């Protein structure tokens, strides 16, 4: 059973940085981990993903060059380093694991997600 727990959200001014962390267990049954977010009144969207087999990554166009996803396998922890934050990045961010297409909106490929952590970016 996949279990995920996020931490690290908070409030920051535009241009600032935050790092989200996700500790996980049971991930061997999922081949793609990452983050999605959901802003108030909007649909959830994939933000970044990493394939566990080769650590290859994917980023949404809206965060490319600003966000970096990484994993510390020894610590069973995944990170999302977020730089140059914009007000439109404000959302609840969820750690996720599943098949290889959930981050593209195929949500039935998602095996599990965490409880979410809130990121608020003020202008």
């Amino acid at each position: 059973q996949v279990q995920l727990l996020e931490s690290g959200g908070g409030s920051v001014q535009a241009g600032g940085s935050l790092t989200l962390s996700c500790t996980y267990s049971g991930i061997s049954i999922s081949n793609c981990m990452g983050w999605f977010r959901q802003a108030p009144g909007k649909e959830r969207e994939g933000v970044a993903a990493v394939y566990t087999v080769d650590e290859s990554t994917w980023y949404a166009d809206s965060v490319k060059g600003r966000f970096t996803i990484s994993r510390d396998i020894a610590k069973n922890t995944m990170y999302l380093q977020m730089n140059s934050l914009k007000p439109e990045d404000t959302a609840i961010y969820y750690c996720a694991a599943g098949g290889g297409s959930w981050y593209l909106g195929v949500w039935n490929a998602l095996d599990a997600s965490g409880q979410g952590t809130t990121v608020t970016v003020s202008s």
Side-chain angles (χ1 to χ4, degrees), residues 93-117:
Y93 284 70
Y94 299 86
C95 178
S101 54
W102 59 264
Y103 55 88
L104 296 176
V106 184
W107 299 109
N108 60 8
L110 197 64
D111 291 331
S113 59
Q115 83 290 349
T117 186

Side-chain angles (χ1 to χ4, degrees), residues 13-76:
Q13 289 191 326
S17 298
L18 282 174
T19 300
L20 306 182
S21 299
C22 171
T23 55
Y24 58 83
S25 61
I27 213 63
S28 61
I29 66 172
S30 300
N31 65 6
C32 184
M33 300 183 63
W35 300 85
F36 68 89
R37 65 187 181 187
Q38 188 162 24
K42 294 188 177 181
E43 295 186 355
R44 50 187 170 175
E45 61 170 345
V47 174
V50 57
Y51 281 84
T52 58
V53 63
D54 60 3
E55 302 299 310
S56 58
T57 58
W58 171 90
Y59 296 94
D61 288 343
S62 58
V63 306
K64 277 181 183 175
R66 300 188 298 122
F67 290 11
T68 303
I69 188 171
S70 62
R71 294 201 306 155
D72 185 332
I73 297 172
K75 295 182 178 180
N76 279 6

